[in-house]
Amino acid sequence: MSELTPHPDPEMNGEYARVTTPEDILARRRGRPVGSVKENRKVQTAIRFDPEVLAALKSTGRGWQTRVNEVMKEWVAKHVTG
């Protein structure tokens, strides 16, 4: 694991850090921020894969579920007539 290196200019350290006060914390609303939910949301479901298929998908790294979704969209576009 690498160490974090401070910015060479001491005045620039924490330039992007957000200061959170106790009042800010109490004023927060629960849940997602307003406007952060897409109009065309995905739907949660359960699907069963063979263990070796799931292992192979997960081995491709972060974003594997998004990639599976894209492949499924392509398959549906080619094979399902509406």
Side-chain angles (χ1 to χ4, degrees):
M1 191 182 316
S2 64
E3 288 187 36
L4 296 175
T5 306
H7 194 283
D9 181 358
E11 291 184 23
M12 296 295 287
N13 277 340
E15 179 182 356
Y16 299 105
R18 179 166 185 209
V19 176
T20 305
T21 64
E23 292 79 22
D24 290 339
I25 293 170
L26 290 174
R28 287 184 187 158
R29 299 175 78 196
R30 292 183 65 136
R32 294 186 177 266
V34 175
S36 69
V37 178
K38 292 197 280 185
E39 184 178 317
N40 192 9
R41 295 189 272 190
K42 293 179 180 174
V43 177
Q44 183 175 354
T45 188
I47 186 168
R48 293 179 181 267
F49 291 112
D50 291 331
E52 60 274 8
V53 172
L54 184 58
L57 292 170
K58 287 184 173 184
S59 73
T60 64
R62 289 179 57 120
W64 69 270
Q65 291 175 329
T66 301
R67 288 189 294 279
V68 169
N69 188 61
E70 292 301 318
V71 169
M72 293 306 300
K73 280 199 276 189
E74 290 175 16
W75 188 90
V76 167
K78 288 180 183 176
H79 297 90
V80 178
T81 57

